[in-house]
Amino acid sequence: MKKNQFDTKLIHEGYKTSEYHGSLTPPLFHTSTYTFPTAQHGEQSFAGERDDFIYSRLGNPTVQILEERMAALEEGEVALAFGSGMAAVSATIFSLISTGDHILCSKGIYGCTYGFLEMLENKFGIEHNFCEMDTEEEIQNLIQENTKVIFIETPINPTMKVIDIEMVVEVAKKNNITVVVDNTFCSPYLQKPLTQGCDIVLHSATKYISGHGDVVAGIVVCKAKELADRMIPIRKDIGAIMSPFDAWLLLRGLKTLAVRMDRQCENAKKVVSFLQSHPMVKEVFYPGDFKSQNYFIASKQMKKGGGVFAFTIDGTKKDTQEFINHLEMIKIAVSLGDTETLVQHPATMTHAVVPKELREKMGITDNMLRMSVGLEAWEDIVADLQQALIKSNSNTVC
Ligand SMILES: Cc1ncc(COP(=O)(O)O)c(C=O)c1O
């Protein structure tokens, strides 16, 4: 029987119980190395004449099951697992650029991705530019002869601006440039950039793929095997691999991805509508809101609005920080996609590394907060926000 549906692939893809003594769940191969029956067998394995496991930095059966599942979910040819989302970002970029190349990036990216690009520029002279990516002309004007990669996040962390993937791909293809999409905020359940023409999708699997706040991990999915072939030696030699136990936890997390995200999206809509009607809230940025300027593109490429949004408090940085200090159930923490509702202050946390002037150009103001809605009852999330807003308002008045 062919298992075609996304929800079924989340549970079964890449694993046959009959190959593992009937074990319902994939076994955890907690081993660093693999034994060869003879020296000649080992020689053949190293020469690539046998498809054996050799050493867990090069490959591991539990990790391989996860990779096969992720490749199927994103509809790519090959997936590669990494020790963190940043390992996935850096290996991807390293595999695509050489000295003297240029990277074009969405204006608004995760703070450490920004830090990595800065490091490449300062240490190795690999330059980058930022682009709003609103129109084809704007992208074309910023493409240089040496541009090798267009790197985008959509929705952008934390402003939730949505970029039209198909439009970016169209310009990139005309210029023979590889398009990479960081799909962390959506997961393949909400958005599949490879089906919209991009070449590589990557994830901080720490987020929705895990879903339980207990793993730091990354995944890259390549549309074509050739792209993965360029990345495999980099992963091997830099060594930022995923541990078998983390792969096992991610396989478990993936099984509930669709049901978790459905609930998170529903909860997010309810919380967004509460905040939109509150006088202390200036603006809410949520691509699933039909009044949002991002709604048209979001509804073209995303299944639902997602579980993350940003909002601004009608006040100063101090008022904004005070407000979250009053929260009781909602936790102040970076990361997203977990069962718990989390809130963070991007200007002083995830994007603190971005210089203030650029941060503000990216739309990350001192009164902005990012919230990742969890699986709690939405009424409890709203009640916690309400009591914190009341307390912080009375403090301001005093
Ligand atoms: C959009 C995005 N990409 C990449 C990363 C890096 O992932 P990790 O923390 O797993 O290294 C993050 C982390 O928050 C992120 O939000």
Side-chain angles (χ1 to χ4, degrees), residues 88-159:
V89 169
S90 52
T92 299
I93 293 179
F94 276 137
S95 74
L96 298 171
I97 44 127
S98 304
T99 311
D101 288 344
H102 170 256
I103 301 165
L104 189 59
C105 220
S106 51
K107 190 180 272 177
I109 42 169
Y110 174 57
C112 294
T113 306
Y114 170 83
F116 176 68
L117 293 175
E118 283 289 293
M119 188 269 282
L120 286 182
E121 186 157 322
N122 296 337
K123 287 191 85 156
F124 305 107
I126 294 156
E127 295 184 338
H128 61 270
N129 277 118
F130 293 108
C131 175
E132 293 285 354
M133 309 257 173
D134 285 333
T135 64
E136 288 191 30
E137 296 72 44
E138 185 204 5
I139 302 172
Q140 188 62 56
N141 287 341
L142 285 167
I143 287 175
Q144 306 177 6
E145 251 176 42
N146 56 345
T147 307
K148 289 286 158 55
V149 184
I150 295 184
F151 187 102
I152 61 172
E153 273 177 31
T154 179
I156 292 179
N157 179 12
T159 57

Side-chain angles (χ1 to χ4, degrees), residues 84-87 89 110 112-113 153 157 182 184-185 202-207 216-218 335-336 350 370:
S84 70
M86 281 316 300
V89 169
Y110 174 57
C112 294
T113 306
E153 273 177 31
N157 179 12
D182 183 332
T184 300
F185 272 47
L202 59 88
H203 290 273
S204 166
T206 314
K207 312 296 179 339
V216 174
S335 205
L336 53 110
T350 49
R370 185 190 77 191

Side-chain angles (χ1 to χ4, degrees), residues 197-216:
C198 99
D199 304 286
I200 298 179
V201 163
L202 59 88
H203 290 273
S204 166
T206 314
K207 312 296 179 339
Y208 284 103
I209 307 292
S210 154
H212 293 77
D214 48 13
V215 176
V216 174

